[in-house]
């Protein structure tokens, strides 16, 4: 661990001051707000279930961002991949009201998610266009496209607002734990499985090694016999597929349908989840839980009439402060065209 | 489906103007070597500042506060990338998140009324500036000491240091100008609508950056690229609600157009020979 | 007599390394003063102190009898100090004229016309010619060096520092440079030259200061010493025995390159119809000034760039393999090993541990293909120990090692695991004389058992010392010295600049 300069601590302190200051501005008592945040997320079995529900898409989407990040790519497009996956999964689930519908739906969502990331990966690898811009464009397109679909061909004719029909019980994903008020869906276990599997794959396998080498120093990787363009492209596509799966799992485990404004920004929060995870994807577990708690507790804050922007603001401050501690880097080359 | 050419031309101008200001803001930053994906957040923050201040201080006060906020936010970017040496993409994303959160937060604390009549500057002023600034920037870059030093630092900060040019201070000044220009771009958006809505920049910061890249990090070609995107948006607005081959196309489909054009433009843009050599180097 | 430059007791510490320990340096006005020493001796650090690019922990700087404290290079330039760094300070994206004036523009609004007039005057005085509007990236190394000299004149530098000015120049260009410097010294300029090359010291310099390990060792007029005792002072002991040259010929070809043409990063042809063979067990050196197509040749041989035309054939065991378009990974599996030019950018991943770096490039090759995680540790230890890489734990990040130690690690990694063909680009970069000899001895040892090696160096003397055979690249064209001139320094020097 490198030494942390006093400057960084100033940033951390300033970040805390900004958030507390914002609370004071909103005429809230910071202590009460933090307490509300705590009880709202972990205070009861019901609250914990809600936190874990929020954690699930953040964890899976966080895995998607993390994988791309290891390959040196900022997949800001998980938001778009997630809604595309969710929309696909609902469309399949509605047409196939059987348990098979779940598997086909997940597979279709992963394919669509992967395809949605493909242009960004291709443009990055073979055209030198930065993935941050392309994925953001793809996000906007995905949101307008799924809106159009759910207003048009996929709309439940009986519903008053743009939504698909609900999935039949047979297609839904069951709870792994259901005791009193505590509910944990299998989807969370899928997320944990991906995070654990990815940690092992990255550390122990040659393709994982080559992907990390590409992310850490693409030129050195190329000299070491790695086809870095292919790694870039496939990392982006697999990342997109995981992003699509995140959307599908939300549909099958919790939402049971797709509707306009489906994601409250899970894809962007996932970026924070991945950045906070640190050097191993095991770190995604606590990191996703933290963001899940923030999201669940954040809704409780609304009762204190604290604007919802506080959670995004906190997220930004946390990412900046954490990056100052961990991602501050030595002077070195490697600017690429953003 | 018929397009009205006059209306199309007018909307192209009005829709490209904020993009042009933001693209030149991006030029100052990236040509000095600071990767800037935070244009979006800077515009949004400035837009909010302009909205909030205009309500209380009137037109001139509004724009001044917007510029000051734009500069301060831009200097936070300078501090995080140059002093703390945080990865420019990560710090840019963080600043964008802070902008989204803070402006939403701030908006909730203010009365929701639009800015009253007479409390905004004339829009024409912004449009003239937007189309004049790229040309001024072209001349400034080529013919002045500041412009030469900007390009030197952006090309190779280490070698610039060797001839006694301090990259830190050149980038400091460059990011102040970025702050001013994003401040103008954000104020323009608020002046047009007289109101502030969440995320009202709607990706314009990123589109402006794409335009800068397509223009090969040169001011006037970047302006032309913003006009292309402005045109795509103008077409999109006119086509909304029209029928295509007998089918009623949901308006959302047309809304995708400018983003799709950006994507295709980036895909077709070959190579990156014009990328400033010092981009992202500390 | 008074001195133009008086550096007294300069000390500088970087972390745990004492880069300079009470070093002093006195230079008379109007003289050329050589600063010599091995890599890591502190020469460049000392020059940086004089140029204000480094702030010493202690010590004083007097110029023409006046005390100075520099907060940055801008003040040093103001005080009349100019420096040409080893890799030049020319910014490729700016025009030649812009490069000349940047940092000393004179006015807020540029007077480009006036600048060009004065630039032409300065160039004429030195006998140079420039297309001022051309992008500086088009300059040859010799052209860049000339522009650097003009930059010193533009800034009215009284004290000129040149850090290894001839490292990338041909012998003829080097001589021309020193002629120019001598003329400037006659007109009163005070010149400091950091160099490795003793002939330059004895040919052109008035006095010499020797540094070793950050300490002052000796200073004397050049007339009072001789090459042998100066070399001893530099190394501080006896030199490692050089490996004997191989005289064996008639071995079968291992690598056959035919009519190879390769494009450079700008899209122009940088290597033109190059044909040559390397026999099994041969150590071949490629001489040439920087930018003659060495990089493109290496890229094509490694498989990171596709040639425009021509072919590369490699003999593995009894079968001939077509390497022309084969992926790098397959070439590595067949025994290609690489010591790249730029170790930080191309050979190591700085933030990774030494253990993780041990695998880089060998990840698909036995024994590494079956190892992961800490199982790599014994192999990493072998690599680190071969050339005595000075290090902490094998789990520490590569970035904690000095450049020379990173280079030892990179060279060992390329030489330990059954190489059939070693491609080495400036393998001695950042190494002291003894380490250089050790690396070449290991290469020689491998060659004796049938490995072949192709070495690029900009230092012709290094190639003459260690290689069986020297071939020359000049402006992308390949040539070989006549059979009886194969070790003739002057003849090869002429080929390097395209003179037949």
């Amino acid at each position: 661990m490198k030494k942390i300069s006093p400057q960084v601590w100033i940033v951390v302190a300033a970040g805390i001051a900004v958030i507390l200051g914002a609370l004071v501005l909103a005429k809230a008592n910071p202590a009460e707000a933090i307490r509300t945040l705590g009880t709202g997320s972990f205070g009861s079995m019901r609250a914990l279930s809600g936190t874990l529900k929020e954690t699930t898409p953040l964890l899976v989407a966080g895995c998607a961002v993390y994988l791309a990040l290891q390959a040196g790519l900022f997949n800001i497009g998980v938001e778009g991949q997630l809604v595309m996956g969710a929309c696909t999964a609902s469309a399949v689930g509605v047409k196939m009201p059987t348990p098979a519908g779940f598997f086909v739906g997940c597979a279709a969502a992963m394919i669509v998610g992967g395809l949605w990331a493909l242009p960004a990966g291709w443009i990055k690898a073979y055209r030198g266009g930065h993935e941050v811009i392309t994925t953001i464009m793809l996000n906007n397109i995905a949101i307008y496209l799924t809106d159009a679909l759910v207003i048009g061909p996929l709309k439940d004719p009986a519903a008053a607002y743009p939504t698909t029909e609900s999935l039949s019980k047979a297609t839904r994903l069951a709870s792994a734990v259901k005791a009193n008020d505590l509910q944990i869906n299998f989807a969370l276990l899928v997320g944990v499985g991906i995070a654990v599997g990815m940690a092992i794959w990255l550390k122990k396998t040659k393709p994982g090694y080559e992907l990390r080498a590409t992310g850490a120093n693409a030129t050195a990787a190329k000299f070491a016999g790695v086809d870095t363009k292919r790694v870039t492209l496939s990392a982006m596509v697999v990342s997109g597929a995981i992003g699509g799966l995140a959307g599908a799992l939300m549909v099958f485990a919790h939402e049971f349908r797709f509707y306009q404004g489906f994601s409250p920004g899970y894809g962007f929060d996932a970026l924070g989840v991945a950045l906070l995870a640190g050097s191993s994807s095991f770190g995604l577990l606590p990191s996703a839980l933290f963001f899940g708690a923030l999201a669940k507790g954040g809704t409780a804050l609304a009762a204190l009439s604290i604007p919802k922007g506080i959670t995004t603001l906190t997220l930004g401050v946390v990412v900046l402060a954490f990056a100052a501690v961990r991602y501050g880097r030595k002077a070195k080359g490697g600017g690429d065209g953003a | 489906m018929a397009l009205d050419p006059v209306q199309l031309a007018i909307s192209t101008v009005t829709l490209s103007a904020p993009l042009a200001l933001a693209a030149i803001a991006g030029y100052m930053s990236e040509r000095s070597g600071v990767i800037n994906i935070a244009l979006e957040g800077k515009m949004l923050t400035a837009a909010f500042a302009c909205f909030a201040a205009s309500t209380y201080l009137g037109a001139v006060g509004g724009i001044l506060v917007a510029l000051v906020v734009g500069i301060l936010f831009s200097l936070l970017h300078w501090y995080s990338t140059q002093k703390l040496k945080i990865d420019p993409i990560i710090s840019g994303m963080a600043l964008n998140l802070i902008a989204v959160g803070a402006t939403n937060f701030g908006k909730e604390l203010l009365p929701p009324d639009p800015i009253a009549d007479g409390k905004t500057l004339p829009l024409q002023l912004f449009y003239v500036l937007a189309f004049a600034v790229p040309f001024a920037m072209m001349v400034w870059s080529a013919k002045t000491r500041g412009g030469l030093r900007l390009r030197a630092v952006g090309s190779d900060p280490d070698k610039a240091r060797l001839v006694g040019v301090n990259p830190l201070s050149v980038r400091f000044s460059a990011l102040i100008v970025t702050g001013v220009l994003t401040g103008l771009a954000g104020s323009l958006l608020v002046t047009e609508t007289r109101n502030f809505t969440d995320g009202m920049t709607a990706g314009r910061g990123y589109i402006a950056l794409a335009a800068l890249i397509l223009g090969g990090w040169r001011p006037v070609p970047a302006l032309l690229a913003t006009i292309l995107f402005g045109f795509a948006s103008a077409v999109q607005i006119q086509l909304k609600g029209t029928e295509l081959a007998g089918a009623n196309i949901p308006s959302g489909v047309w809304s995708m157009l400018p983003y799709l054009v950006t994507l295709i433009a980036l895909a077709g843009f070959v190579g990156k020979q014009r990328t400033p050599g010092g981009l992202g180097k500390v | 007599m008074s001195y133009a430059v008086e550096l007294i007791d300069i000390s500088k510490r970087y972390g745990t390394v004492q880069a300079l320990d009470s070093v002093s340096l006195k230079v008379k006005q109007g003289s050329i003063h050589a600063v010599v020493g091995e890599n890591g001796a502190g020469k460049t650090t000392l020059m940086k102190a004089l140029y204000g690019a480094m702030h010493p922990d202690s010590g004083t700087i007097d110029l023409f009898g006046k005390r100075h404290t520099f907060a940055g290079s801008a003040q040093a330039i103001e005080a009349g100090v100019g420096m040409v760094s080893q890799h030049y300070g020319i910014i490729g994206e700016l025009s030649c004229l812009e490069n000349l004036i940047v940092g000393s523009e004179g006015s807020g609004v540029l007077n480009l016309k006036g600048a060009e007039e004065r630039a032409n005057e300065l160039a004429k005085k030195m006998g140079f010619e420039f297309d001022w509007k051309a992008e500086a990236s088009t300059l040859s190394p010799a052209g860049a060096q000339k522009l650097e000299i003009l930059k010193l004149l533009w800034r009215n530098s009284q004290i000129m520092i040149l850090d290894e000015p001839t490292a990338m120049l041909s012998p003829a260009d080097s001589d021309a440079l020193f002629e120019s410097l001598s003329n400037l010294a006659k007109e009163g300029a005070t010149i400091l030259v950091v160099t490795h090359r003793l002939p330059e010291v004895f040919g052109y310099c008035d006095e010499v200061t020797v540094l070793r390990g950050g300490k002052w060792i000796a200073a004397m007029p050049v007339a009072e010493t001789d090459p042998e005792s100066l070399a001893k002072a530099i190394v501080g002991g006896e030199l490692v025995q050089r490996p004997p040259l191989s005289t064996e010929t008639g071995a079968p070809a291992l690598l056959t390159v035919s009519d190879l043409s390769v494009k450079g990063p700008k899209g122009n042809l940088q290597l033109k119809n190059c044909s040559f063979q390397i026999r099994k067990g041969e150590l071949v050196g490629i001489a040439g000034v920087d930018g003659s197509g060495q990089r493109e040749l290496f890229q094509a041989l490694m498989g990171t760039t596709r040639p425009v035309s021509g072919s590369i054939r490699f003999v593995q065991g009894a079968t001939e393999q077509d390497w022309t378009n084969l992926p790098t990974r397959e070439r590595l599996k067949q025994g290609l090993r690489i010591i790249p030019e730029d170790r930080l950018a191309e050979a190591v991943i700085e933030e990774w541990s030494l253990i993780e770096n041990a695998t880089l490039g060998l990840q698909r090759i036995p024994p590494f293909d079956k190892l992961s995680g800490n199982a790599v540790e014994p192999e990493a230890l072998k690599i680190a120990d071969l050339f005595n890489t000075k290090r902490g734990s094998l789990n520490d990040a590569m970035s904690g090692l000095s450049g020379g130690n990173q280079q030892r690690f990179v060279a060992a990694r390329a030489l330990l695991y059954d190489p059939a063909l070693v491609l080495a680009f400036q393998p001695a970069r950042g190494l002291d004389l003894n380490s250089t000899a050790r690396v070449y001895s290991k290469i020689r040892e491998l060659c004796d058992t049938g490995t072949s090696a192709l070495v690029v160096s900009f230092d012709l003397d290094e190639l003459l010392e260690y290689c069986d055979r020297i071939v020359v690249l000049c402006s992308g064209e390949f040539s070989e010295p006549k059979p009886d001139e194969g070790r003739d320094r002057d003849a090869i020097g002429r080929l390097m600049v395209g003179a037949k």
Side-chain angles (χ1 to χ4, degrees), chain B residues 181-256:
Chain B
L181 291 170
T182 46
L184 283 174
S187 304
L188 169 54
L189 294 179
V190 161
T191 307
E192 277 174 338
T193 57
R194 297 282 186 91
N195 212 334
F196 179 86
T197 48
D198 276 334
M200 70 185 297
T201 41
R204 284 186 185 84
Y206 299 106
I207 294 182
L209 192 56
L212 179 66
I213 293 171
L214 292 178
W217 285 269
R218 290 166 297 174
V220 173
L223 172 67
L224 295 177
T226 61
I227 292 173
L228 169 72
F229 296 139
F231 179 72
S233 305
V235 168
Q236 170 264 123
I237 288 170
Q238 286 213 4
L239 289 181
K240 249 180 206 170
T242 60
E243 292 187 350
L244 188 66
N248 196 3
I249 307 294
S251 64
V253 173
W254 295 118
S255 306
M256 300 187 313

Side-chain angles (χ1 to χ4, degrees), chain B residues 57-155:
Chain B
L57 304 173
V60 176
I63 191 89
L64 287 178
V65 171
L67 296 186
V68 168
V69 168
I71 289 169
L72 289 178
F73 207 60
S74 202
L75 288 181
L76 181 59
H77 191 205
W78 173 83
Y79 186 75
S80 56
T81 56
Q82 305 302 306
K83 286 298 222 184
L84 297 174
K85 299 184 173 30
I86 300 175
D87 180 288
I89 303 282
I90 295 177
S91 59
M93 282 313 298
L95 289 181
N96 286 342
L97 288 172
I98 290 172
V100 169
T103 55
N104 165 273
F105 195 89
K107 187 197 70 174
E108 299 287 321
L109 302 177
L110 286 177
D113 311 318
I115 304 171
D117 281 343
K119 287 194 165 183
T120 55
L121 291 174
L123 275 168
Q124 289 79 356
L125 182 70
F126 289 99
Y127 297 142
V128 169
L129 271 178
F131 288 90
V133 160
F135 292 96
M137 193 58 79
M138 175 182 72
V139 174
W140 179 83
S141 286
K143 302 287 181 197
T144 69
R145 173 169 60 196
L148 178 56
R149 292 186 170 193
L150 179 87
R151 287 181 291 128
V153 166
S155 303

Side-chain angles (χ1 to χ4, degrees), chain A residues 15-39 297 301 304 306 310 314, chain B residues 105:
Chain A
I16 295 170
V18 163
I19 294 164
L20 292 182
L23 288 173
V24 172
L25 260 180
K27 299 191 182 65
N29 176 352
E32 193 191 346
I34 291 165
R35 201 164 45 243
T36 308
L37 204 60
T39 50
L301 286 183
L304 299 177
I306 295 170
I310 187 77
T314 308
Chain B
F105 195 89

Side-chain angles (χ1 to χ4, degrees), chain A residues 10-73:
Chain A
I10 293 172
V11 170
V12 173
I16 295 170
V18 163
I19 294 164
L20 292 182
L23 288 173
V24 172
L25 260 180
K27 299 191 182 65
N29 176 352
E32 193 191 346
I34 291 165
R35 201 164 45 243
T36 308
L37 204 60
T39 50
S41 51
F42 294 111
S44 63
M45 282 301 165
R46 187 181 294 277
L48 180 62
S49 302
T51 294
L52 292 177
K53 181 187 157 191
E54 291 289 333
T55 301
T56 307
L58 288 171
L59 177 60
V60 181
C63 287
V65 178
Y66 189 86
L67 182 74
L69 207 56
Q70 288 290 305
L73 299 162

Side-chain angles (χ1 to χ4, degrees), chain C residues 368-438:
Chain C
F368 292 90
D369 56 345
K370 300 277 190 297
L371 301 177
S372 73
N374 283 334
V376 179
E377 190 166 348
E379 302 303 325
L381 190 64
K382 270 191 226 167
I383 295 172
D385 283 352
L386 181 66
F387 296 127
N388 299 323
T389 302
K390 289 192 191 66
R391 61 184 171 84
S393 155
L394 287 171
N395 284 306
D396 289 351
M398 184 54 92
S399 55
L401 266 55
S402 72
N405 281 310
Q406 289 177 349
Q407 185 70 13
R408 289 189 179 104
F409 190 88
V410 168
R413 189 179 63 192
L415 300 177
L416 268 178
Y417 298 91
D418 301 321
L421 173 66
V422 177
L423 290 182
F425 205 115
Q426 299 256 69
R429 194 169 172 189
L431 296 184
D432 54 47
L433 291 177
N434 281 339
S435 302
T436 303
R438 276 193 206 103

Side-chain angles (χ1 to χ4, degrees), chain C residues 105-125:
Chain C
E105 301 87 347
S107 57
V109 176
L110 302 177
N111 175 7
L112 290 173
K113 205 169 231 157
E116 192 169 333
E117 275 167 27
R118 195 182 151 212
N120 277 327
E121 265 170 45
L122 294 176
K124 201 171 163 196
K125 180 180 152 203

